[in-house]
PDB file of all heavy atoms in Angstrom:
ATOM      1  N   PHE T   1     138.544 166.248  73.144  1.00  0.00           N
ATOM      2  CA  PHE T   1     139.727 166.127  73.981  1.00  0.00           C
ATOM      3  C   PHE T   1     140.997 165.973  73.151  1.00  0.00           C
ATOM      4  O   PHE T   1     142.052 166.474  73.522  1.00  0.00           O
ATOM      5  CB  PHE T   1     139.556 165.006  74.994  1.00  0.00           C
ATOM      6  CG  PHE T   1     138.379 165.260  75.891  1.00  0.00           C
ATOM      7  CD1 PHE T   1     137.278 164.440  75.866  1.00  0.00           C
ATOM      8  CD2 PHE T   1     138.352 166.356  76.741  1.00  0.00           C
ATOM      9  CE1 PHE T   1     136.181 164.689  76.680  1.00  0.00           C
ATOM     10  CE2 PHE T   1     137.264 166.621  77.556  1.00  0.00           C
ATOM     11  CZ  PHE T   1     136.174 165.782  77.527  1.00  0.00           C
ATOM     12  N   GLU T   2     140.912 165.278  72.015  1.00  0.00           N
ATOM     13  CA  GLU T   2     142.060 165.212  71.107  1.00  0.00           C
ATOM     14  C   GLU T   2     142.405 166.601  70.588  1.00  0.00           C
ATOM     15  O   GLU T   2     143.577 166.979  70.535  1.00  0.00           O
ATOM     16  CB  GLU T   2     141.751 164.300  69.922  1.00  0.00           C
ATOM     17  CG  GLU T   2     141.726 162.832  70.228  1.00  0.00           C
ATOM     18  CD  GLU T   2     141.308 162.013  69.023  1.00  0.00           C
ATOM     19  OE1 GLU T   2     140.425 162.445  68.259  1.00  0.00           O
ATOM     20  OE2 GLU T   2     141.878 160.926  68.865  1.00  0.00           O
ATOM     21  N   ALA T   3     141.372 167.340  70.218  1.00  0.00           N
ATOM     22  CA  ALA T   3     141.592 168.693  69.708  1.00  0.00           C
ATOM     23  C   ALA T   3     142.214 169.587  70.779  1.00  0.00           C
ATOM     24  O   ALA T   3     143.160 170.335  70.509  1.00  0.00           O
ATOM     25  CB  ALA T   3     140.273 169.286  69.223  1.00  0.00           C
ATOM     26  N   ALA T   4     141.707 169.504  71.992  1.00  0.00           N
ATOM     27  CA  ALA T   4     142.233 170.334  73.079  1.00  0.00           C
ATOM     28  C   ALA T   4     143.680 169.980  73.398  1.00  0.00           C
ATOM     29  O   ALA T   4     144.526 170.871  73.566  1.00  0.00           O
ATOM     30  CB  ALA T   4     141.366 170.186  74.327  1.00  0.00           C
ATOM     31  N   ALA T   5     143.987 168.693  73.480  1.00  0.00           N
ATOM     32  CA  ALA T   5     145.353 168.275  73.792  1.00  0.00           C
ATOM     33  C   ALA T   5     146.324 168.723  72.705  1.00  0.00           C
ATOM     34  O   ALA T   5     147.408 169.244  73.001  1.00  0.00           O
ATOM     35  CB  ALA T   5     145.410 166.759  73.963  1.00  0.00           C
ATOM     36  N   THR T   6     145.941 168.555  71.456  1.00  0.00           N
ATOM     37  CA  THR T   6     146.802 168.974  70.349  1.00  0.00           C
ATOM     38  C   THR T   6     146.949 170.484  70.320  1.00  0.00           C
ATOM     39  O   THR T   6     148.043 171.006  70.111  1.00  0.00           O
ATOM     40  CB  THR T   6     146.237 168.455  69.009  1.00  0.00           C
ATOM     41  OG1 THR T   6     146.137 167.032  69.083  1.00  0.00           O
ATOM     42  CG2 THR T   6     147.126 168.847  67.850  1.00  0.00           C
ATOM     43  N   TYR T   7     145.855 171.202  70.556  1.00  0.00           N
ATOM     44  CA  TYR T   7     145.875 172.662  70.535  1.00  0.00           C
ATOM     45  C   TYR T   7     146.796 173.207  71.625  1.00  0.00           C
ATOM     46  O   TYR T   7     147.635 174.077  71.372  1.00  0.00           O
ATOM     47  CB  TYR T   7     144.454 173.204  70.716  1.00  0.00           C
ATOM     48  CG  TYR T   7     144.335 174.696  70.544  1.00  0.00           C
ATOM     49  CD1 TYR T   7     144.102 175.254  69.294  1.00  0.00           C
ATOM     50  CD2 TYR T   7     144.462 175.549  71.634  1.00  0.00           C
ATOM     51  CE1 TYR T   7     143.992 176.625  69.126  1.00  0.00           C
ATOM     52  CE2 TYR T   7     144.353 176.928  71.477  1.00  0.00           C
ATOM     53  CZ  TYR T   7     144.114 177.458  70.227  1.00  0.00           C
ATOM     54  OH  TYR T   7     144.019 178.816  70.067  1.00  0.00           O
ATOM     55  N   VAL T   8     146.673 172.681  72.838  1.00  0.00           N
ATOM     56  CA  VAL T   8     147.502 173.156  73.953  1.00  0.00           C
ATOM     57  C   VAL T   8     148.961 172.791  73.715  1.00  0.00           C
ATOM     58  O   VAL T   8     149.859 173.613  73.936  1.00  0.00           O
ATOM     59  CB  VAL T   8     146.986 172.593  75.292  1.00  0.00           C
ATOM     60  CG1 VAL T   8     147.962 172.856  76.420  1.00  0.00           C
ATOM     61  CG2 VAL T   8     145.627 173.200  75.620  1.00  0.00           C
ATOM     62  N   THR T   9     149.224 171.578  73.264  1.00  0.00           N
ATOM     63  CA  THR T   9     150.596 171.155  72.982  1.00  0.00           C
ATOM     64  C   THR T   9     151.220 172.044  71.908  1.00  0.00           C
ATOM     65  O   THR T   9     152.360 172.497  72.046  1.00  0.00           O
ATOM     66  CB  THR T   9     150.634 169.688  72.534  1.00  0.00           C
ATOM     67  OG1 THR T   9     150.022 168.886  73.538  1.00  0.00           O
ATOM     68  CG2 THR T   9     152.042 169.213  72.285  1.00  0.00           C
ATOM     69  N   ALA T  10     150.479 172.301  70.852  1.00  0.00           N
ATOM     70  CA  ALA T  10     150.977 173.159  69.774  1.00  0.00           C
ATOM     71  C   ALA T  10     151.213 174.582  70.271  1.00  0.00           C
ATOM     72  O   ALA T  10     152.171 175.238  69.856  1.00  0.00           O
ATOM     73  CB  ALA T  10     149.986 173.162  68.608  1.00  0.00           C
ATOM     74  N   SER T  11     150.367 175.052  71.166  1.00  0.00           N
ATOM     75  CA  SER T  11     150.542 176.388  71.730  1.00  0.00           C
ATOM     76  C   SER T  11     151.829 176.474  72.542  1.00  0.00           C
ATOM     77  O   SER T  11     152.592 177.430  72.431  1.00  0.00           O
ATOM     78  CB  SER T  11     149.341 176.748  72.596  1.00  0.00           C
ATOM     79  OG  SER T  11     149.521 178.021  73.183  1.00  0.00           O
ATOM     80  N   VAL T  12     152.078 175.468  73.369  1.00  0.00           N
ATOM     81  CA  VAL T  12     153.291 175.445  74.195  1.00  0.00           C
ATOM     82  C   VAL T  12     154.533 175.375  73.305  1.00  0.00           C
ATOM     83  O   VAL T  12     155.531 176.051  73.564  1.00  0.00           O
ATOM     84  CB  VAL T  12     153.253 174.257  75.180  1.00  0.00           C
ATOM     85  CG1 VAL T  12     154.596 174.046  75.847  1.00  0.00           C
ATOM     86  CG2 VAL T  12     152.169 174.478  76.221  1.00  0.00           C
ATOM     87  N   GLU T  13     154.455 174.578  72.248  1.00  0.00           N
ATOM     88  CA  GLU T  13     155.589 174.406  71.344  1.00  0.00           C
ATOM     89  C   GLU T  13     155.660 175.504  70.282  1.00  0.00           C
ATOM     90  O   GLU T  13     156.563 175.487  69.447  1.00  0.00           O
ATOM     91  CB  GLU T  13     155.508 173.035  70.668  1.00  0.00           C
ATOM     92  CG  GLU T  13     155.657 171.889  71.653  1.00  0.00           C
ATOM     93  CD  GLU T  13     155.392 170.528  71.036  1.00  0.00           C
ATOM     94  OE1 GLU T  13     154.967 170.459  69.854  1.00  0.00           O
ATOM     95  OE2 GLU T  13     155.602 169.534  71.739  1.00  0.00           O
ATOM     96  N   GLU T  14     154.694 176.423  70.305  1.00  0.00           N
ATOM     97  CA  GLU T  14     154.598 177.528  69.354  1.00  0.00           C
ATOM     98  C   GLU T  14     154.579 177.038  67.903  1.00  0.00           C
ATOM     99  O   GLU T  14     155.217 177.590  67.023  1.00  0.00           O
ATOM    100  CB  GLU T  14     155.723 178.531  69.592  1.00  0.00           C
ATOM    101  CG  GLU T  14     155.635 179.172  70.966  1.00  0.00           C
ATOM    102  CD  GLU T  14     156.765 180.138  71.264  1.00  0.00           C
ATOM    103  OE1 GLU T  14     157.647 180.338  70.389  1.00  0.00           O
ATOM    104  OE2 GLU T  14     156.775 180.699  72.367  1.00  0.00           O
ATOM    105  N   ASP T  15     153.826 175.978  67.667  1.00  0.00           N
ATOM    106  CA  ASP T  15     153.663 175.393  66.340  1.00  0.00           C
ATOM    107  C   ASP T  15     152.342 175.891  65.762  1.00  0.00           C
ATOM    108  O   ASP T  15     151.283 175.305  65.992  1.00  0.00           O
ATOM    109  CB  ASP T  15     153.676 173.870  66.446  1.00  0.00           C
ATOM    110  CG  ASP T  15     153.612 173.164  65.099  1.00  0.00           C
ATOM    111  OD1 ASP T  15     153.323 173.826  64.083  1.00  0.00           O
ATOM    112  OD2 ASP T  15     153.847 171.944  65.076  1.00  0.00           O
ATOM    113  N   THR T  16     152.405 176.973  65.002  1.00  0.00           N
ATOM    114  CA  THR T  16     151.171 177.602  64.514  1.00  0.00           C
ATOM    115  C   THR T  16     150.413 176.737  63.515  1.00  0.00           C
ATOM    116  O   THR T  16     149.188 176.806  63.454  1.00  0.00           O
ATOM    117  CB  THR T  16     151.468 178.976  63.879  1.00  0.00           C
ATOM    118  OG1 THR T  16     152.455 178.819  62.858  1.00  0.00           O
ATOM    119  CG2 THR T  16     151.969 179.957  64.922  1.00  0.00           C
ATOM    120  N   ASP T  17     151.127 175.919  62.742  1.00  0.00           N
ATOM    121  CA  ASP T  17     150.434 175.053  61.779  1.00  0.00           C
ATOM    122  C   ASP T  17     149.551 174.029  62.495  1.00  0.00           C
ATOM    123  O   ASP T  17     148.390 173.838  62.145  1.00  0.00           O
ATOM    124  CB  ASP T  17     151.434 174.334  60.870  1.00  0.00           C
ATOM    125  CG  ASP T  17     152.154 175.298  59.932  1.00  0.00           C
ATOM    126  OD1 ASP T  17     151.580 176.370  59.649  1.00  0.00           O
ATOM    127  OD2 ASP T  17     153.281 174.983  59.506  1.00  0.00           O
ATOM    128  N   ARG T  18     150.120 173.352  63.506  1.00  0.00           N
ATOM    129  CA  ARG T  18     149.328 172.380  64.278  1.00  0.00           C
ATOM    130  C   ARG T  18     148.238 173.075  65.079  1.00  0.00           C
ATOM    131  O   ARG T  18     147.154 172.528  65.264  1.00  0.00           O
ATOM    132  CB  ARG T  18     150.239 171.584  65.224  1.00  0.00           C
ATOM    133  CG  ARG T  18     150.800 170.365  64.572  1.00  0.00           C
ATOM    134  CD  ARG T  18     151.561 169.449  65.489  1.00  0.00           C
ATOM    135  NE  ARG T  18     151.041 169.355  66.834  1.00  0.00           N
ATOM    136  CZ  ARG T  18     151.785 169.114  67.908  1.00  0.00           C
ATOM    137  NH1 ARG T  18     153.072 168.970  67.802  1.00  0.00           N
ATOM    138  NH2 ARG T  18     151.245 169.021  69.096  1.00  0.00           N
ATOM    139  N   LEU T  19     148.517 174.281  65.549  1.00  0.00           N
ATOM    140  CA  LEU T  19     147.532 175.053  66.298  1.00  0.00           C
ATOM    141  C   LEU T  19     146.312 175.334  65.424  1.00  0.00           C
ATOM    142  O   LEU T  19     145.167 175.094  65.830  1.00  0.00           O
ATOM    143  CB  LEU T  19     148.171 176.364  66.768  1.00  0.00           C
ATOM    144  CG  LEU T  19     147.458 177.181  67.796  1.00  0.00           C
ATOM    145  CD1 LEU T  19     147.616 176.547  69.167  1.00  0.00           C
ATOM    146  CD2 LEU T  19     148.025 178.584  67.832  1.00  0.00           C
ATOM    147  N   ASP T  20     146.560 175.807  64.209  1.00  0.00           N
ATOM    148  CA  ASP T  20     145.460 176.084  63.285  1.00  0.00           C
ATOM    149  C   ASP T  20     144.735 174.809  62.883  1.00  0.00           C
ATOM    150  O   ASP T  20     143.506 174.798  62.739  1.00  0.00           O
ATOM    151  CB  ASP T  20     145.980 176.806  62.035  1.00  0.00           C
ATOM    152  CG  ASP T  20     146.495 178.197  62.327  1.00  0.00           C
ATOM    153  OD1 ASP T  20     146.099 178.772  63.368  1.00  0.00           O
ATOM    154  OD2 ASP T  20     147.297 178.714  61.525  1.00  0.00           O
ATOM    155  N   ASP T  21     145.474 173.738  62.694  1.00  0.00           N
ATOM    156  CA  ASP T  21     144.871 172.464  62.323  1.00  0.00           C
ATOM    157  C   ASP T  21     143.933 171.969  63.421  1.00  0.00           C
ATOM    158  O   ASP T  21     142.788 171.615  63.156  1.00  0.00           O
ATOM    159  CB  ASP T  21     145.974 171.435  62.051  1.00  0.00           C
ATOM    160  CG  ASP T  21     145.448 170.162  61.432  1.00  0.00           C
ATOM    161  OD1 ASP T  21     144.485 170.226  60.645  1.00  0.00           O
ATOM    162  OD2 ASP T  21     146.011 169.088  61.737  1.00  0.00           O
ATOM    163  N   ALA T  22     144.411 171.963  64.656  1.00  0.00           N
ATOM    164  CA  ALA T  22     143.594 171.485  65.785  1.00  0.00           C
ATOM    165  C   ALA T  22     142.378 172.380  66.002  1.00  0.00           C
ATOM    166  O   ALA T  22     141.311 171.895  66.377  1.00  0.00           O
ATOM    167  CB  ALA T  22     144.431 171.418  67.053  1.00  0.00           C
ATOM    168  N   ALA T  23     142.518 173.668  65.754  1.00  0.00           N
ATOM    169  CA  ALA T  23     141.400 174.595  65.933  1.00  0.00           C
ATOM    170  C   ALA T  23     140.258 174.303  64.961  1.00  0.00           C
ATOM    171  O   ALA T  23     139.106 174.620  65.252  1.00  0.00           O
ATOM    172  CB  ALA T  23     141.873 176.036  65.769  1.00  0.00           C
ATOM    173  N   GLY T  24     140.565 173.669  63.840  1.00  0.00           N
ATOM    174  CA  GLY T  24     139.536 173.355  62.859  1.00  0.00           C
ATOM    175  C   GLY T  24     138.874 172.005  63.053  1.00  0.00           C
ATOM    176  O   GLY T  24     137.933 171.656  62.345  1.00  0.00           O
ATOM    177  N   TRP T  25     139.338 171.217  64.007  1.00  0.00           N
ATOM    178  CA  TRP T  25     138.791 169.872  64.205  1.00  0.00           C
ATOM    179  C   TRP T  25     137.412 169.883  64.828  1.00  0.00           C
ATOM    180  O   TRP T  25     136.602 168.993  64.552  1.00  0.00           O
ATOM    181  CB  TRP T  25     139.710 169.042  65.076  1.00  0.00           C
ATOM    182  CG  TRP T  25     141.011 168.662  64.429  1.00  0.00           C
ATOM    183  CD1 TRP T  25     141.357 168.841  63.120  1.00  0.00           C
ATOM    184  CD2 TRP T  25     142.131 168.059  65.053  1.00  0.00           C
ATOM    185  NE1 TRP T  25     142.631 168.386  62.904  1.00  0.00           N
ATOM    186  CE2 TRP T  25     143.132 167.890  64.077  1.00  0.00           C
ATOM    187  CE3 TRP T  25     142.393 167.646  66.355  1.00  0.00           C
ATOM    188  CZ2 TRP T  25     144.366 167.321  64.355  1.00  0.00           C
ATOM    189  CZ3 TRP T  25     143.623 167.076  66.630  1.00  0.00           C
ATOM    190  CH2 TRP T  25     144.593 166.915  65.637  1.00  0.00           C
ATOM    191  N   VAL T  26     137.148 170.826  65.703  1.00  0.00           N
ATOM    192  CA  VAL T  26     135.859 170.888  66.400  1.00  0.00           C
ATOM    193  C   VAL T  26     135.390 172.340  66.423  1.00  0.00           C
ATOM    194  O   VAL T  26     136.149 173.249  66.091  1.00  0.00           O
ATOM    195  CB  VAL T  26     135.969 170.339  67.852  1.00  0.00           C
ATOM    196  CG1 VAL T  26     136.283 168.853  67.849  1.00  0.00           C
ATOM    197  CG2 VAL T  26     136.992 171.097  68.661  1.00  0.00           C
ATOM    198  N   ALA T  27     134.169 172.550  66.852  1.00  0.00           N
ATOM    199  CA  ALA T  27     133.620 173.906  66.960  1.00  0.00           C
ATOM    200  C   ALA T  27     134.398 174.694  68.017  1.00  0.00           C
ATOM    201  O   ALA T  27     134.910 174.108  68.981  1.00  0.00           O
ATOM    202  CB  ALA T  27     132.144 173.837  67.344  1.00  0.00           C
ATOM    203  N   PRO T  28     134.498 176.015  67.857  1.00  0.00           N
ATOM    204  CA  PRO T  28     135.254 176.821  68.820  1.00  0.00           C
ATOM    205  C   PRO T  28     134.786 176.669  70.267  1.00  0.00           C
ATOM    206  O   PRO T  28     135.619 176.600  71.176  1.00  0.00           O
ATOM    207  CB  PRO T  28     135.042 178.257  68.332  1.00  0.00           C
ATOM    208  CG  PRO T  28     134.753 178.123  66.881  1.00  0.00           C
ATOM    209  CD  PRO T  28     134.016 176.825  66.733  1.00  0.00           C
ATOM    210  N   ASP T  29     133.478 176.587  70.481  1.00  0.00           N
ATOM    211  CA  ASP T  29     133.002 176.438  71.858  1.00  0.00           C
ATOM    212  C   ASP T  29     133.346 175.055  72.409  1.00  0.00           C
ATOM    213  O   ASP T  29     133.644 174.904  73.595  1.00  0.00           O
ATOM    214  CB  ASP T  29     131.507 176.714  71.968  1.00  0.00           C
ATOM    215  CG  ASP T  29     130.662 175.847  71.058  1.00  0.00           C
ATOM    216  OD1 ASP T  29     131.170 175.401  70.012  1.00  0.00           O
ATOM    217  OD2 ASP T  29     129.486 175.615  71.383  1.00  0.00           O
ATOM    218  N   ALA T  30     133.371 174.046  71.561  1.00  0.00           N
ATOM    219  CA  ALA T  30     133.771 172.709  72.005  1.00  0.00           C
ATOM    220  C   ALA T  30     135.261 172.678  72.332  1.00  0.00           C
ATOM    221  O   ALA T  30     135.674 172.056  73.312  1.00  0.00           O
ATOM    222  CB  ALA T  30     133.448 171.674  70.928  1.00  0.00           C
ATOM    223  N   LEU T  31     136.062 173.376  71.531  1.00  0.00           N
ATOM    224  CA  LEU T  31     137.492 173.452  71.803  1.00  0.00           C
ATOM    225  C   LEU T  31     137.743 174.168  73.123  1.00  0.00           C
ATOM    226  O   LEU T  31     138.575 173.723  73.930  1.00  0.00           O
ATOM    227  CB  LEU T  31     138.219 174.165  70.666  1.00  0.00           C
ATOM    228  CG  LEU T  31     139.735 174.284  70.802  1.00  0.00           C
ATOM    229  CD1 LEU T  31     140.387 172.916  70.861  1.00  0.00           C
ATOM    230  CD2 LEU T  31     140.296 175.098  69.650  1.00  0.00           C
ATOM    231  N   ALA T  32     137.021 175.249  73.380  1.00  0.00           N
ATOM    232  CA  ALA T  32     137.164 175.977  74.649  1.00  0.00           C
ATOM    233  C   ALA T  32     136.798 175.073  75.829  1.00  0.00           C
ATOM    234  O   ALA T  32     137.477 175.077  76.858  1.00  0.00           O
ATOM    235  CB  ALA T  32     136.291 177.228  74.645  1.00  0.00           C
TER     236      ALA T  32
END
């Protein structure tokens, strides 16, 4: 849930660095 919240927030703010960082915190299927 931390990864998802950070990923979505970074996506809305168009922050690619945080987006990539959050994407690496958990497995892709868990992030989905």
Side-chain angles (χ1 to χ4, degrees):
F1 300 115
E2 287 176 322
T6 302
Y7 187 89
V8 170
T9 304
S11 178
V12 169
E13 295 172 353
E14 297 178 1
D15 184 348
T16 55
D17 292 335
R18 271 187 36 210
L19 193 76
D20 293 338
D21 190 34
W25 290 351
V26 294
D29 56 333
L31 182 61

